[in-house]
Every structure is written in C-alpha cells, then in structure tokens.
Amino acid sequence: MTTDNAYKVKWGVLGTGWISHQFVTDLAHAANGVAYAVGSRSLESAEKFATDHGVPVAYATYEELVNDPEVDAVYIGTPHPLHKDNALLALRAGKAVLCEKPFTVNSAELEEIAAYAKHNKLFLMEAMWSRFIPAIAKVREWIAAGRIGEVRLVKADLGFRADWNPEGRLLNPKLGGGALLDVGIYPISFASMVLGPHPEQIHSTVHIGETGVDEHFSLLLSYGGGVTASINGGVRLNLLNEAYIFGTEGHIMVPGTLVNPTKAVLHSADGVTETFEEQRESIGYAYEAEEVGRCLEAGLTESPVITLDESVAILKLLDRVRGQWGLVYPGEAELKQH
C-alpha cells in the first residue's frame, strides 16, 4: 500500500455510520483509491462526514450519490437489512459495489442482486475485509503449498460481551441483530475459505435472548471423511477470538483476533515453527478497497478471493442454521430447516 498507482478508484460512500468512518479513514492507505463523495439521508450528516474526512462532495440522498458520474464504485456501510435495496440502487446506476458483510439478511436477497450484477456485467463484492488481510493471505498460501498436509479440522471463535441495548443494532431483530450475522459470519467465512461453503451436515446450538435474537451459538460443520469445522460466536459472551487449522502434517494458528489479525503461526509436524507478522499503519480496510481497484482495472466483475457464488453459499448456510433455530427476522419469509 506504499506504492503509487496511476489507476485510482473514485469511491462514493453510502451511509455515514461507524463502519463508513473506518473505511474512509483507511482509504488514505490505499494505493489505488480515493474517497470522492459521501451520501446520507440528510445533508447535515453528509457534510459533517465530508468535513471530518476531507471528502470533496456531500449529498443529502443516496440517489444523488449513486448518480454522480464521477463515482466509480460505491461502498455500502448501512445496516444489513438495508443492503439489498442500497446495492440494487447503486447497481442500477451502473456502479461497482462493495457491500458490507453480511451481504444481505438472507440468501434470497443476495441471489437477486447477484443476478442483476452478473446480467449487467457489473462488479459486486462482499466487504469481507478479513479475506484480504496479509496474515490471512499467508494462511491460504501455506495451505495451498501443503505445509500442514491434509486439513482435517478448523476451529474458529469470535465473540464479545456487548452492552445491553435492546434497541441497538446487535440485539434488535428489526435490524437483523444477533451473533450469527454480526460476528458469526467471520469464523464461518474463515471455515469456508479453508474447507468450502458446502458442508454435508450442520449441527448447532443457540441461546436466544429476551429480544428474540441469538446471543451466542455453536456450530459443528461436517464435510465428510472426518473433516469438520467447529465454530462459536457471541455478542453477549467474550470468546478467545482465535482460529486454528489442523492438518495431518501440522497446524496453523491465527492469534489475537480473527477479524483483523497481524500474525499467523505455522507449526509443522517436524517441530519447525514459522511466524508471519505484519507491521502496518492502516486499520486494514484498505486491503479490500485495493482488491476492488485491482479487479476493476483488470475488467473483472467479481473477486476471485471471495466470489459471488461463495457469498451466496455462505448465506444459504446461515439460512439453514437459522432454520434450525426457528429465527426469522421481521419481514422475512419463513426459513426452511434442512
């Protein structure tokens, strides 16, 4: 992220919440992108965001933002029940889209926007920023090189104890609250990266809190042949937030935080330990922004690192899990249990 690049994506930021602040702050570290415009539901919010981050253009509506001809790509940082409509708005304006995770509340919503993007040859990607963090890229490299042999088990946890706020995003069912869609998608996506998004069997347990959303859960994904993934997540429960990949010839540990790690450690069966550690100034969001720039410059309509088909498959997995729990968000059709 230190080299200049002649190709610069002009980003439009849709939404002015906390995650949008993080993304735009980190764009300063991206070699191939710059924050050009921001859109909110009020001019006051947009102008404050623009002033805080040095963004040249502020719009009082999302429609004005996506219809600005200078905007190359739109970053969507709104709550996930709004993602479908926001993404379709940007795509229908002909924009490339990077949409915060989870892509949508359920797979049917994502299939609709993915079909539109594919039909119209428009770029669309889930902002699963952890996929593009160098430590996670190193994990993929080690596995591909066979450094730990055949992978047999993935264990990944992510959880924290949020303050009690029934109306807040994490615990409010109207906002798609709960652990699965917020923190759970990270370890599930990690397991998908290693083992794929199509387990043969899914076993789960859950604690549904008094607001009606999942406060913590455990999953056991079986891929056949003894290959499994053990996943835990919580928004009212502190977990270790680490990940392990166990193979026939060693194992890999991602310590500290699964979301934004700076370190990965490989332990081979012969006793050799190899550590990858990154020193950086950026938060880490710049890596996903740079991936969008690379894809657009290459004429791609999706990233090979996290394809639309994989994002859809992951959401289908989440749908199956919620079907087991009987957890349906307001406005959703009943989810079927598989």
Side-chain angles (χ1 to χ4, degrees), residues 176-192:
L180 186 67
L181 294 192
D182 186 76
V183 296
I185 195 168
Y186 284 108
I188 290 170
S189 181
F190 184 82
S192 175

Side-chain angles (χ1 to χ4, degrees), residues 240-244 253-258 260-265:
L240 292 180
N241 302 334
E242 298 178 336
Y244 296 83
M253 177 187 182
V254 181
T257 170
L258 178 59
N260 184 21
T262 58
K263 185 177 181 180
V265 184

Side-chain angles (χ1 to χ4, degrees), residues 241-319:
N241 302 334
E242 298 178 336
Y244 296 83
I245 305 168
F246 297 94
T248 55
E249 301 297 329
H251 72 275
I252 296 168
M253 177 187 182
V254 181
T257 170
L258 178 59
V259 175
N260 184 21
T262 58
K263 185 177 181 180
V265 184
L266 184 149
H267 299 271
S268 62
D270 59 7
V272 174
T273 298
E274 181 177 334
T275 299
F276 172 89
E277 193 158 10
E278 179 196 10
Q279 302 293 331
R280 56 174 149 97
E281 295 179 358
S282 76
I283 304 168
Y285 295 96
Y287 295 115
E288 65 179 358
E290 289 189 330
E291 174 70 3
V292 175
R294 284 190 294 269
C295 290
L296 292 179
E297 189 172 19
L300 301 179
T301 56
E302 56 185 290
S303 168
V305 178
I306 184 163
T307 65
L308 291 177
D309 285 347
E310 185 186 4
S311 288
V312 169
I314 290 172
L315 269 171
K316 284 183 179 293
L317 192 160
L318 300 185
D319 287 350

